[in-house]
Amino acid sequence: MKIGIAADHGGFELKEQLITYLKPLGYEVEDFGAYKLDASDDYPDFIVPLAQAVAAGKLSRGIAVCGSGVGASVAANKIAGARAALITEHFSAHQGVEDDDLNIICLGGRITGYVAAEELVLAFLRAEFSGADRHQRRLEKVRVLEKENLN
Ligand code: RB5
């Protein structure tokens, strides 16, 4: 499975940790930066290219990290086809995929510890969209919204 990961300075250390964790498990991980810790960098510069690659189908899933996870989710969700959410507990990590076809998990590098983040990411990556009619119907309503708000 090819996935992408991106972070600003607030998420940089967790990003590096997750790459180290995921590669031996067989995930092909594309790193969208930041490539060094720079306290003055801005999360949209890394999160938006990641979200665009996920929305374009170049990656199966994305992991977006900032200090709180909030800015990452705000930025990622501006991209049509990106379905991003800040995740802090296990249930939503998989149910967000199963019901809402979540394709980007957002994490707070200053909020969620390494081991908890690893477990959340695995639950997210291993989950599959159910494809149930009611979930397809709801997603189609989201897609209509995206088309109406083309920018
Ligand atoms: C950066 O200091 C911090 O504001 C950012 O990483 C993130 O938490 C924004 O939501």
Side-chain angles (χ1 to χ4, degrees):
M1 183 188 244
K2 186 170 182 190
I3 62 173
I5 190 165
D8 71 350
H9 57 282
F12 181 78
E13 288 171 3
L14 179 56
K15 173 175 75 69
E16 298 299 299
Q17 175 66 27
L18 287 171
I19 292 170
T20 301
Y21 175 71
L22 290 168
K23 282 188 173 171
L25 297 179
Y27 292 101
E28 186 184 347
V29 186
E30 183 172 346
D31 186 354
F32 285 74
Y35 302 116
K36 61 179 171 51
L37 186 57
D38 173 359
S40 65
D41 68 14
D42 303 323
Y43 57 81
D45 295 338
F46 312 104
I47 305 303
V48 168
L50 168 71
Q52 288 170 329
V54 172
K58 295 175 183 165
L59 303 167
S60 302
R61 304 273 169 88
I63 303 167
V65 196
C66 65
S68 63
V70 173
S73 58
V74 168
N77 279 314
K78 295 298 179 192
I79 305 303
R83 292 177 294 278
L86 171 56
I87 299 293
T88 59
E89 40 70 38
H90 186 268
F91 175 76
S92 299
H94 63 87
Q95 191 258 7
V97 178
E98 292 156 359
D99 287 16
D100 310 312
D101 207 9
L102 184 72
N103 54 17
I104 300 177
I105 186 171
C106 301
L107 297 166
R110 294 171 177 159
I111 306 301
T112 303
Y114 288 171
V115 175
E118 290 165 1
E119 293 198 1
L120 295 176
V121 166
L122 272 196
F124 163 70
L125 293 176
R126 289 176 175 167
E128 295 293 338
F129 178 52
S130 74
D133 287 349
R134 67 188 185 284
H135 298 312
Q136 296 275 17
R137 183 179 70 239
R138 292 160 191 164
L139 279 172
E140 189 49 38
K141 292 182 179 183
V142 173
R143 289 193 190 98
V144 168
L145 280 174
E146 287 176 333
K147 284 182 195 138
E148 287 172 351
N149 290 291
L150 282 177
N151 47 19

